[in-house]
Amino acid sequence: MSRLKSVAGLVAFSLFFVVFTVAQKAKPIPYDHNPAAGRFYDINGFKMYTEVYGEGPPVLMIHGNNGDMSAFSKNVPYFAQHYKVILADSRSQGRSLDPDHPLTFEMMADDYAALLDAMHIDSAYVLGWSDGGINALLMAIRHPEKVKKLVATGANLWVGPDPFAPGLWDQMEHAYTTGLTKTYTTPKEKNDRKLFLLDWWEPHITLPQLRTIQAPSLIMAGDHDVISLPHTLVIYQNLPHANLWIVPNSGHPTVIEHADEVNKKVDEFFTQPFKDFKPNE
């Protein structure tokens, strides 16, 4: 009888262990707060927070304004099966705190190039969304040896009404003007204002600069993105080696709203031979 009880207890424990293990595996990964994958690097005067998943060719994913690496939570599981996915919080965002310094897109592009150096990675595929797309373009301009191929979705080259959907620049101008009369006291308020001003004053990428990019490029935007279709076409048309994909039924967050399609399309782009890319006429 005692043996039966022991067997029953062992079976019950085994079932509990299996259920517990499955539950643990099913638990979402806490991107941006995962000690098992996280590390800080000393980069250009601040501590840059990173998390790495998977093994294989390196893919650097760069998030948008006032965001963090969790923006790619729907993309990492797919790519981590075949790539070494590098996530990093941009300067002054997420866990990469840098409250006391100015901020430019050029600084952030240099930060990401320095991060690859610190990780002993010669070059990487780069996927950038929104401000991250701007960073991807600037990395390819300022550090061409670091970028194997780049994907930029929802990026803009300059500021003003033209790059944006109708009415959006007017909203930003109102927020800028209103903000001039406010007093910012807490570190978060000051940092949020700094990040807003980044998109108000920048970027300033010229078409001649864009034409220096030799990395094969996939330019993306949603068909009702906050970045206008004509501006996205300007980016595509001025890259020497580029493909264009306007994501149907999508707004600005293409990597979130259409993660499955984006994952497959970007993966195909990364794995295509260079000979498949023909220079734009």
Side-chain angles (χ1 to χ4, degrees):
M1 193 69 172
S2 60
R3 183 176 296 178
L4 288 176
K5 286 183 179 180
S6 298
V7 171
L10 181 61
V11 170
F13 176 79
S14 298
L15 288 173
F16 169 80
F17 180 78
V18 169
V19 171
F20 176 80
T21 302
V22 170
Q24 287 294 100
K25 288 182 178 180
K27 187 177 180 180
I29 295 173
Y31 297 111
D32 209 43
H33 291 84
N34 184 5
R39 176 179 172 181
F40 286 93
Y41 286 86
D42 290 320
I43 302 293
N44 296 334
F46 76 105
K47 291 188 178 298
M48 192 174 203
Y49 181 68
T50 68
E51 292 181 7
V52 175
Y53 298 90
E55 295 292 339
V59 175
L60 174 64
M61 297 186 178
I62 310 177
H63 64 81
N65 187 284
N66 212 353
D68 59 48
M69 63 179 66
S70 66
F72 296 105
S73 61
K74 292 186 176 182
N75 314 106
V76 177
Y78 176 93
F79 284 94
Q81 297 177 76
H82 305 290
Y83 298 88
K84 180 177 184 177
V85 179
I86 302 164
L87 303 176
D89 289 343
S90 295
R91 178 188 290 258
S92 298
Q93 296 162 79
R95 300 183 69 188
S96 295
L97 303 180
D98 184 37
D100 300 323
H101 292 87
L103 186 63
T104 69
F105 282 111
E106 287 78 8
M107 288 171 66
M108 287 192 286
D110 293 349
D111 292 339
Y112 279 102
L115 175 64
L116 293 182
D117 280 340
M119 300 179 78
H120 306 291
I121 294 173
D122 293 334
S123 61
Y125 299 116
V126 181
L127 166 60
W129 167 38
S130 193
D131 279 20
I134 299 170
N135 288 328
L137 293 170
L138 281 169
M139 276 189 72
I141 292 169
R142 296 169 67 85
H143 307 278
E145 75 285 355
K146 293 296 182 188
V147 181
K148 290 181 180 178
K149 295 182 180 181
L150 75 87
V151 178
T153 179
N156 58 295
L157 301 176
W158 49 73
V159 293
D162 293 344
F164 298 100
L168 182 59
W169 186 252
D170 292 337
Q171 295 176 29
M172 291 182 67
E173 185 173 26
H174 176 74
Y176 171 73
T177 304
T178 302
L180 292 176
T181 63
K182 292 184 178 180
T183 301
Y184 300 92
T185 55
T186 69
K188 184 179 186 308
E189 289 174 339
K190 294 177 180 179
N191 200 67
D192 286 349
R193 183 63 175 172
K194 178 170 75 170
L195 293 171
F196 171 80
L197 290 175
L198 174 69
D199 280 353
W200 172 254
W201 294 117
E202 298 191 25
H204 302 289
I205 301 173
T206 67
L207 296 184
Q209 285 179 309
L210 204 63
R211 295 183 192 121
T212 66
I213 295 177
Q214 294 301 310
S217 307
L218 174 60
I219 300 304
M220 294 168 42
D223 61 358
H224 52 280
D225 207 303
V226 299
I227 304 299
S228 70
L229 179 56
H231 189 75
T232 300
L233 288 172
V234 167
I235 298 175
Y236 161 69
Q237 290 166 348
N238 284 275
L239 285 166
H241 307 278
N243 284 355
L244 175 69
W245 182 33
I246 303 301
V247 185
N249 304 310
S250 181
H252 192 52
T254 53
V255 297
I256 298 172
E257 292 180 348
H258 296 274
D260 289 343
E261 299 100 309
V262 168
N263 292 342
K264 291 177 183 177
K265 188 81 169 184
V266 171
D267 188 19
E268 289 173 1
F269 169 73
F270 285 159
T271 54
Q272 285 178 350
F274 182 79
K275 65 181 181 181
D276 288 353
F277 295 88
K278 296 179 180 179
N280 293 322
E281 299 296 330

